[in-house]
Amino acid sequence: MTPNPLFIQIISISVLVYFVLLNVGYLMLNFLAMYALRRRSQEAILDDLPQVYSALEPPISMIVPAYNEEATIVTSIRSMLQLSYSEMEVVVINDGSTDRTLQVMIDEFGLVPFPEAYRIQLETRPVLGIYRSTRFPNLRVVDKVNGGKADSTNAGINAARYPLFCCVDADSILQRDSLQRLVRPFLGDPLMVATGGTVRIANGCEVRGGFLTRVGMPKNPWALFQVVEYLRAFMFGRMGWSVINGMLIISGAFGLFRKDTVVAVGGYNPKAIGEDMELVVRMHRKLRARGVPYKIEFVPDPVCWTEAPEDRKQLRNQRIRWSRGLSESLTTNWGLMFSRHGGVAGWLAFPFFVLFEWLGPFVELFGYIFMAVASWQGWVSWESFGIFLFLAIGLGILLSAFGLLLEEISFHLYPRPSHLLILAAVVVAENFGYRQINSWWRLVGLYKWAIREEARWGVMTRKADWQRDIS
């Protein structure tokens, strides 16, 4: 039985229009990112001047939630303690780890129990004790009952002494000048409430004594694909939205926030899987509803290096969690979309995320299956199928290439020509299998969210073979 030709035509045109709008949207973000990078290059001359403290930098609390991170926690803390910043503290939250995370920190940093006032501004699971380092005066560790990353971060906010806090993953390595760069928008604009930096893949790199000493490429193919993904997401995704104050996500691995603003909107949501995005979307919604002027900005210079999963199962679980987190972030803050005072966040960014990020996996996979079957059965012309492949794959390659080009022009973090050749090959290869698998995982996450299946975080195995001791 041949389907109704009009019905087939409507579906095929709808699929093509969807991919046209998707790619036009991403191209517009790319142009905005190019504008932002050009403006940044005009200011970059200041980076060549000696970096001295002006005594005007606001003090910052580094908040580091840690759960079963014994393999990487020491190197990460070392990297944070050696950051070049005038006044800062490092607050590590041991979230009920079942391995030797706490003991490793006690041995390495000379931690001792220290009675101090703990002001509860955000409700969290019980705190068992607070430790202070006898070797580093600005290092404290909060030991608490397990409650998840959001709950741990809220405990860190309670313990933080300074007006700005920087949330960093326990497996991350920061460049020495990261805080200096991340805080600059706060110095130039009193309306700034949050900034986010760039996250890069550390697999294949080398770290000694808390410092990144060599930038390399991962040998694992799953990690290689993620290098290109991160380049694309940060170089024109977040940078483009940042230009028009519509950025809806700051990575939980590296973000700087005004403490009073975060406390005023209720802190991180312990029930949310994607607590980092949910907080930023809620900040947009509540601040706009209250008529409070604010800015949220992406800063491309400060880099946070983090370990990416190299196992298919771990990567699958991660992407399913991200999809569920996106679903929660959007649906719990639905009032932002098309709200009276929604601005760019409510009228452009939120609908874009709903249409192309949230529902995108379903439409993309449906488009592949429908257009392939329809062409095979002769319901649509092979020319139409060719146009679809160009929109779905050809422009996808072009967008990834743009991300790589922006990285090379602006930052040149991957110094060897062989690195660029490898990345260029991955830019093409990821569109033939990896991207479609990712879409399937995201669709599974959307389904699990829809049926309200209980979230399972799983275990992220840290190899930590990119970290080395100085000894």
Side-chain angles (χ1 to χ4, degrees):
M1 179 178 178
T2 303
N4 188 312
L6 180 60
F7 177 73
I8 293 294
Q9 187 176 16
I10 291 174
I11 293 180
S12 59
I13 291 176
S14 298
V15 169
L16 292 176
V17 168
Y18 178 89
F19 276 89
V20 168
L21 293 176
L22 171 66
N23 287 289
V24 167
Y26 280 130
L27 284 173
M28 293 302 298
L29 289 175
N30 182 75
F31 291 139
L32 288 172
M34 292 175 64
Y35 165 77
L37 286 173
R38 180 182 179 186
R39 186 178 60 183
R40 174 200 167 275
S41 66
Q42 296 171 348
E43 302 171 352
I45 188 174
L46 298 176
D47 297 340
D48 298 328
L49 299 176
Q51 298 296 309
V52 296
Y53 302 125
S54 66
L56 298 176
E57 294 92 355
I60 295 175
S61 297
M62 304 286 295
I63 296 178
V64 190
Y67 175 73
N68 290 353
E69 299 284 357
E70 65 173 311
T72 59
I73 190 65
V74 169
T75 304
S76 296
I77 293 176
R78 281 179 183 171
S79 80
M80 295 171 205
L81 290 172
Q82 296 173 98
L83 292 174
S84 55
Y85 197 74
S86 55
E87 186 175 358
M88 56 164 284
E89 65 171 353
V90 177
V91 182
V92 182
I93 303 90
N94 179 48
D95 189 39
S97 297
T98 57
D99 65 356
R100 298 184 66 254
T101 297
L102 180 59
Q103 189 60 48
V104 164
M105 290 189 288
I106 290 174
D107 296 341
E108 182 68 27
F109 301 107
L111 301 180
V112 294
F114 185 82
E116 67 173 59
Y118 177 76
R119 182 185 177 191
I120 300 178
Q121 297 176 281
L122 301 168
E123 292 294 330
T124 69
R125 298 297 301 276
V127 170
L128 303 176
I130 298 178
Y131 296 79
R132 180 187 291 272
S133 172
T134 57
R135 299 169 189 168
F136 299 93
N138 59 338
L139 172 62
R140 287 180 295 146
V141 173
V142 177
D143 186 29
K144 62 179 287 292
V145 175
N146 180 263
K149 184 179 178 182
D151 188 79
S152 300
T153 307
N154 286 339
I157 294 172
N158 289 337
R161 297 173 176 173
Y162 297 142
L164 298 180
F165 73 86
C166 181
C167 187
V168 183
D169 279 353
D171 64 332
S172 300
I173 296 295
L174 301 179
Q175 295 184 178
R176 291 203 67 180
D177 61 351
S178 292
L179 282 187
Q180 285 179 294
R181 295 177 182 274
L182 197 59
V183 81
R184 283 179 185 173
F186 286 90
L187 301 176
D189 195 331
L191 299 180
M192 198 65 57
V193 297
T195 57
T198 302
V199 178
R200 297 290 175 89
I201 301 300
N203 306 51
C205 300
E206 186 175 284
V207 173
R208 292 182 181 272
F211 292 106
L212 184 81
T213 57
R214 180 182 63 82
V215 175
M217 297 296 297
K219 297 180 181 179
N220 180 276
W222 295 111
L224 264 176
F225 285 128
Q226 291 173 79
V227 170
V228 172
E229 272 188 303
Y230 277 56
L231 279 176
R232 183 172 59 246
F234 285 93
M235 289 308 298
F236 70 82
R238 299 186 189 181
M239 191 180 301
W241 285 119
S242 174
V243 173
I244 52 179
N245 200 28
M247 188 168 64
L248 295 187
I249 181 171
I250 289 177
S251 174
F254 191 33
L256 184 63
F257 297 85
R258 280 188 55 168
K259 179 180 174 180
D260 58 352
T261 302
V262 172
V263 171
V265 301
Y268 288 86
N269 182 0
K271 297 180 180 180
I273 297 178
E275 73 287 333
D276 46 5
M277 179 178 184
E278 197 281 329
L279 172 64
V280 177
V281 179
R282 180 161 26 100
M283 288 172 64
H284 278 290
R285 176 172 62 85
K286 291 199 170 186
L287 293 177
R288 287 197 170 275
R290 297 169 186 172
V292 178
Y294 69 95
K295 287 187 180 178
I296 297 175
E297 187 170 316
F298 173 72
V299 187
D301 304 78
V303 175
C304 168
W305 298 85
T306 190
E307 185 176 355
E310 295 187 348
D311 175 77
R312 185 196 63 82
K313 183 178 180 181
Q314 291 184 10
L315 180 60
R316 172 185 179 273
N317 292 337
Q318 181 193 67
R319 297 313 163 92
I320 289 175
R321 291 197 306 270
W322 286 4
S323 179
R324 296 185 66 168
L326 173 65
S327 303
E328 289 179 349
S329 300
L330 295 177
T331 54
T332 57
N333 295 282
W334 200 259
L336 176 63
M337 187 163 72
F338 301 137
S339 63
R340 181 179 179 183
H341 302 289
V344 171
W347 286 83
L348 285 180
F350 200 101
F352 183 93
F353 270 75
V354 169
L355 189 59
F356 299 122
E357 300 290 347
W358 189 35
L359 302 178
F362 172 78
V363 178
E364 182 174 349
L365 291 175
F366 172 80
Y368 281 116
I369 296 172
F370 172 81
M371 293 300 291
V373 171
S375 300
W376 181 260
Q377 295 294 329
W379 300 338
V380 299
S381 66
W382 287 104
E383 289 80 4
S384 298
F385 186 59
I387 294 174
F388 166 77
L389 290 179
F390 170 74
L391 293 172
I393 295 178
L395 289 183
I397 295 173
L398 179 63
L399 289 170
S400 296
F402 268 138
L404 179 59
L405 180 63
L406 290 176
E407 142 65 26
E408 177 62 16
I409 293 175
S410 304
F411 304 106
H412 191 56
L413 282 180
Y414 298 97
R416 298 181 182 177
S418 59
H419 292 166
L420 295 180
L421 291 175
I422 292 172
L423 290 176
V426 175
V427 161
V428 177
E430 69 159 349
N431 289 274
F432 297 93
Y434 177 76
R435 206 175 110 189
Q436 291 74 22
I437 293 174
N438 242 308
S439 294
W440 171 250
W441 289 337
R442 290 164 58 197
L443 187 60
V444 171
L446 183 60
Y447 170 75
K448 288 179 178 290
W449 167 81
I451 65 172
R452 299 295 188 264
E453 180 180 307
E454 182 182 356
R456 297 182 184 274
W457 283 93
V459 178
M460 171 63 178
T461 304
R462 307 294 186 189
K463 293 180 61 179
D465 56 356
W466 46 279
Q467 301 192 15
R468 300 287 185 271
D469 266 334
I470 15 179
S471 55

